[in-house]
Each structure stands twice: as C-alpha cells, then as structure tokens.
Amino acid sequence: NAIPFLVLCGPVVPEVSREFAGVLCWSLVNEPDLPIHFMINSPGGYAVDGFAIISVIEELRKHGFKVNGHVFGQAASMAAIILQTCSERTMSTHDSIMLHGPSMGLTGDLRDIKAQQVFHTFATKQISSILKQYTKLSAREINSILSEDTHKYYDAKHALEKGLIDYIRGEP
C-alpha cells in the first residue's frame, strides 16, 4: 500500500483546489484506511480556493478520515489557514508559518467594490472562526492578526506554543 501524499508547493489557486479534491477522492477510494499526508510550502493565495480545500478536509475528518498537514518551508496566509484544519499538523525548526488578515484588490464600479467588501468581511469571519476552533490563539491575538496591516511570523517553537502545530518534526 502506498501512503497517499498531496503536495501544495506554490500558490492556492483554482487549479490547486480542483486537483486537491480529485486526488483526495482517489486516495480515499483506493487507500481508505491510510492517512493522507498534505505537504505544504506555499505563499498562500485566494481565499475562495482555500475555503474549498478546507471544506474537503473538514468533510473528510467528519467521516473519520485523517488528513495530516506538514509544513516544508513555509505555510503562509491561506496555506497556514488550511494547515489549521488538518488532523495532525507538523513542521521542523527550519520552517515557518505566517498569518495576516485577508487582503483584496478593488476593481469595477461602486457596486462591485461593495460586493468585494462584503466578501472581505465574510472571509475575515471565516478565518477568525477557524483560528478560534483549531488553535490556542486568544481572541485578542486573532483580532490583532486579522485587523492590523502586518504579517505575523511563527517559528516552530512559537507555532507549537500557540497551537498552530501539534508537534515539531525531528524533536524527541
């Protein structure tokens, strides 16, 4: 039996979320008793595509499947949020996690901009809910991450303390 591996190396974009869902379904049909290992080295990407991946992971977990997330390099932005929903989360001392609030580029007329503002509020609430559910970050810390115009970086030790990972690979 081959251990199912998925690799996210690059941005979270529509092609990645489609491929992720397809490979997960194939793995579950062909290797239903094995955990899936999701390797992440990503700068993040689109919220919609990240939420699609999160929906698949959470649905699988609800049905008893394991999807383990492993940072190799960096899990930044939406990739870091995806990581939080995995069954088991790991990183080594060489890796990092970066969190920040949603960002957007505005295009179109005033109606389009208002619609984008509504989605921005929705995305912020979703990310806040995920961080509250899966991490040890306080409500104040989450609010600070999502509302300030800064990026918050975590090394392995800090990520473990904040509940962003479950253990550091390579440590006893």
Side-chain angles (χ1 to χ4, degrees):
N1 288 350
I3 297 174
F5 279 91
L6 286 169
V7 178
L8 172 58
C9 188
V12 178
V13 293
E15 297 79 20
V16 170
S17 64
R18 279 193 304 271
E19 180 180 336
F20 184 85
V23 172
L24 274 177
C25 291
W26 181 91
S27 296
L28 295 173
V29 168
N30 292 289
E31 301 290 350
D33 298 326
L34 295 176
I36 295 165
H37 294 276
F38 187 27
M39 321 305 273
I40 302 171
N41 183 18
S42 173
Y46 296 116
V48 170
D49 301 301
F51 292 146
I53 293 170
I54 288 167
S55 292
V56 172
I57 292 170
E58 288 183 333
E59 188 68 21
L60 292 170
R61 289 188 66 186
K62 186 169 69 175
H63 293 286
F65 295 102
K66 286 189 78 172
V67 180
N68 298 329
H70 311 283
V71 180
F72 283 87
Q74 185 177 62
S77 191
M78 184 49 76
I81 303 304
I82 294 167
L83 173 70
Q84 298 317 302
T85 63
C86 291
S87 309
E88 182 177 275
R89 304 155 303 161
T90 74
M91 65 191 287
S92 78
T93 57
H94 307 292
D95 306 322
S96 64
I97 292 174
M98 187 272 287
L99 295 171
H100 66 89
S103 59
M104 61 184 196
L106 301 174
T107 60
D109 63 18
L110 187 56
R111 289 178 306 234
D112 295 327
I113 291 170
K114 286 180 180 178
Q116 291 170 40
Q117 183 181 19
V118 168
F119 180 76
H120 184 272
T121 300
F122 166 80
T124 301
K125 288 179 181 177
Q126 290 299 306
I127 292 167
S128 176
S129 175
I130 289 166
L131 292 173
K132 284 177 189 169
Q133 180 178 352
Y134 293 105
T135 74
K136 296 176 187 173
L137 293 167
S138 69
R140 184 171 170 247
E141 289 172 305
I142 292 169
N143 185 51
S144 174
I145 290 166
L146 297 179
S147 65
E148 294 176 9
D149 191 23
T150 59
H151 297 126
K152 179 75 174 164
Y153 289 87
Y154 299 86
D155 62 17
K157 182 181 175 195
H158 198 199
L160 184 63
E161 289 171 1
K162 295 297 182 179
L164 298 171
I165 60 170
D166 300 302
Y167 69 89
I168 300 171
R169 289 187 317 277
E171 288 198 351

